[in-house]
Amino acid sequence: MKRSIFVYLLVAAGVICSLSSCATTVERVKADDVVDLDGFWNDSDVRMVCESLISDCIKSPRVAQYEKKNGRAPVAIVGKISNDSDEHIDTSIVAKKFQNAIINSGVMDFVSDKNEREELREERLDQQDNASEDTAKAIGNETGADFMLLGSIKTIVQTEGRKSVRAYFVYAELHDLETNKIIWSGEDDEIKKVINRPAAKM
């Protein structure tokens, strides 16, 4: 009898918990609000770093000189962004943020990346056989990129007891595709987080 009462109380407690404070809650926030739950790399870090670096890149004298010399805006593409940190970072998000910042700056034009180009080429080949002559897109008229943006993300971590400091270093370089010259190099080292972990509950 006592066992039945005990089981009943446990079930009742579980129901009460699920209907009150133990239930999952969701709070909507603005997309640009800084939310740091665990101290690791997050969306706010991506946004801050990419905007800062591209803002510096498009102000480069060499980028301005290119348009004056050639009579058109330079064409760019984002290459590999390496994750050399100690944590998992989806660098494809960083690459897209870089791309968006370059396009929206209006200073440089942008072309499709490697994977996108393959899909576009397949479509053009398909059009040669299946689209009307006046609407089929010609092969061999792609715009070649002048510059490629390459980058990397690195971390330095200090830990003592339950306290740690995570510092992020993001590097980006704009390379001339024809000469391999680096025409701009930038670094963002403004992200440093102090993390205090709670003691384990006994």
Side-chain angles (χ1 to χ4, degrees), residues 12-202:
V15 171
I16 293 171
C17 181
S18 66
L19 295 176
S20 57
S21 60
C22 294
T24 299
T25 62
V26 177
E27 177 188 1
R28 287 187 178 270
V29 297
K30 294 181 180 178
D32 57 355
D33 284 354
V34 178
V35 180
D36 235 326
L37 296 180
D38 55 14
F40 290 103
W41 181 263
N42 60 38
D43 62 312
S44 298
D45 301 328
V46 175
R47 183 171 58 252
M48 291 163 53
V49 164
C50 292
E51 289 176 356
S52 170
L53 285 173
I54 296 304
S55 175
D56 184 49
C57 174
I58 61 178
K59 294 175 184 175
S60 166
R62 290 189 177 94
V63 172
Q65 289 169 7
Y66 185 95
E67 184 164 5
K68 290 180 181 178
K69 181 180 178 180
N70 296 277
R72 64 171 177 81
V75 179
I77 189 171
V78 174
K80 183 177 181 180
I81 307 297
S82 302
N83 177 19
D84 300 325
S85 73
D86 68 326
E87 64 183 87
H88 170 73
I89 294 177
D90 187 345
T91 55
S92 68
I93 296 175
V94 180
K96 280 298 181 183
K97 285 288 186 181
F98 275 140
Q99 175 180 315
N100 291 344
I102 291 172
I103 292 172
N104 294 334
S105 73
V107 174
M108 290 186 277
D109 291 330
F110 210 88
V111 291
S112 309
D113 66 28
K114 184 176 182 179
N115 293 329
E116 292 166 338
R117 289 199 301 272
E118 290 300 323
E119 188 171 352
L120 291 166
R121 286 166 184 165
E122 288 180 9
E123 172 61 22
R124 280 195 293 273
L125 286 172
D126 182 76
Q127 288 186 9
Q128 306 310 306
D129 295 328
N130 300 295
S132 62
E133 185 176 346
D134 57 335
T135 62
K137 302 304 175 283
I139 296 174
N141 283 340
E142 296 181 18
T143 298
D146 303 301
F147 301 139
M148 177 178 283
L149 186 75
L150 300 172
S152 62
I153 304 170
K154 306 177 189 297
T155 50
I156 293 178
V157 182
Q158 293 177 287
T159 303
E160 184 178 0
R162 296 192 301 272
K163 186 175 183 178
S164 61
V165 178
R166 303 187 64 81
Y168 292 86
F169 299 83
V170 183
Y171 302 92
E173 296 175 339
L174 196 64
H175 296 249
D176 186 308
L177 274 168
E178 186 168 354
T179 65
N180 291 340
K181 289 182 179 179
I182 300 175
I183 67 166
W184 169 84
S185 181
E187 172 189 351
D188 190 300
D189 58 358
E190 297 298 317
I191 299 175
K192 183 180 287 188
K193 305 179 184 184
V194 179
I195 306 157
N196 290 290
R197 306 291 183 193
K201 293 183 179 180
M202 299 300 291

